[in-house]
Amino acid sequence: EVQLLESGGGMVQPGGSLRLSCAASGFALNNYAMSWVRQTPGKGLEWVSAISGGGGSTYYADSVKGRFTISRDESKNTLFLQMDSLRAEDTAVYFCAKDGVVAAPQYFDSWGQGTLVTVSS
Amino acid sequence: DTVMTQSPATLSVSPGERVTLSCRASQSVSEFVAWYQQKPGQAPRLLIYGASTRATGIPARFSGSGSGTEFTLTISSLQSEDFGVYYCQRYNDWPPRVTFGQGTRLDIK
């Protein structure tokens, strides 16, 4: 059974940093693309970043490019999102999501439960 | 950038009725559209990908159709557990990225 468990969320001041983790089980991370998707409280879904399976090419939404970094540790089967220079508009629930294919990003057939990131002074 | 526009914004339907949700793309996306259901406090659940392929474990009352710029998610006979917000999503974009619609909230009468 595929399971995704996010951690690392919390409250941080504007300009600060946070690192999210997503522990995967039931499949090997490098066999599938993985993404981070966020959802502002009461609002819709926004794709943030993806890493392809295999070679691990990375992709970012324009809103986070240059500030966020996606990576994975295959030995721990864990996905990461390093978030720097955080802004108030980055406040959201962050979900990690498994892609249905190796190339990224496509459609997401498994999701974690989400972790809340709050950027506020 | 592709904009995915969903309609209606909100829908209230009685159990047993047929439900049709619409999603329009601002440019052709072929059949690279997925649909998700999200209930309060939960993560989204994949229903449909490739515009019309049901995901694993999704009941047959859910069906998707369309290509190009017009897409539809149909629930043939609404069940009480089908409430929630439904999102369409385009993929296979260049540069690689995905775009979600703003969602349609489905309430049970």
Side-chain angles (χ1 to χ4, degrees), chain A residues 37-40 44-46 48 63-64 68 89-90 92-94:
Chain A
V37 177
R38 67 186 180 186
Q39 185 168 37
T40 308
L45 300 165
E46 180 189 16
V48 172
S63 59
V64 306
F68 289 11
E89 55 264 36
D90 295 319
V93 174
Y94 285 73

Side-chain angles (χ1 to χ4, degrees), chain A residues 24-95:
Chain A
S25 59
F27 70 103
L29 263 189
N30 64 336
N31 286 343
Y32 293 91
M34 296 291 296
S35 280
W36 289 96
V37 177
R38 67 186 180 186
Q39 185 168 37
T40 308
K43 297 277 180 75
L45 300 165
E46 180 189 16
W47 172 77
V48 172
S49 180
I51 184 168
S52 67
S57 297
T58 58
Y59 311 96
Y60 299 93
D62 289 344
S63 59
V64 306
K65 200 172 295 183
R67 301 188 298 121
F68 289 11
T69 303
I70 190 171
S71 63
R72 68 185 183 214
D73 183 332
E74 295 175 16
S75 67
K76 297 180 180 178
N77 217 36
T78 299
L79 179 73
F80 301 102
L81 185 68
Q82 177 67 41
M83 304 186 295
D84 299 319
S85 303
L86 282 162
R87 306 166 181 168
E89 55 264 36
D90 295 319
T91 294
V93 174
Y94 285 73
F95 296 98

Side-chain angles (χ1 to χ4, degrees), chain B:
Chain B
D1 292 11
T2 307
V3 177
M4 305 296 284
T5 302
Q6 294 185 240
S7 61
T10 305
L11 199 55
S12 184
V13 181
S14 299
E17 291 189 358
R18 183 182 182 89
V19 177
T20 300
L21 308 180
S22 296
C23 177
R24 174 176 292 177
S26 61
Q27 61 185 286
S28 177
V29 298
S30 185
E31 296 183 340
F32 296 112
V33 166
W35 289 91
Y36 302 84
Q37 175 197 59
Q38 186 179 31
K39 295 184 178 182
Q42 297 184 16
R45 176 176 71 147
L46 177 67
L47 300 174
I48 300 286
Y49 62 94
S52 61
T53 302
R54 267 191 307 277
T56 302
I58 301 303
R61 65 181 182 273
F62 291 93
S63 64
S65 64
S67 66
T69 61
E70 301 286 341
F71 300 88
T72 299
L73 175 71
T74 300
I75 308 173
S76 59
S77 179
L78 190 70
Q79 305 297 302
S80 57
E81 63 266 29
D82 296 337
F83 73 92
V85 181
Y86 289 78
Y87 295 95
C88 63
Q89 174 225 318
R90 82 143 298 176
Y91 57 95
N92 206 57
D93 200 354
W94 189 263
R97 60 190 169 189
V98 303
T99 305
F100 291 93
Q102 82 280 13
T104 290
R105 175 176 165 171
L106 176 60
D107 293 328
I108 309 297
K109 267 187 191 174

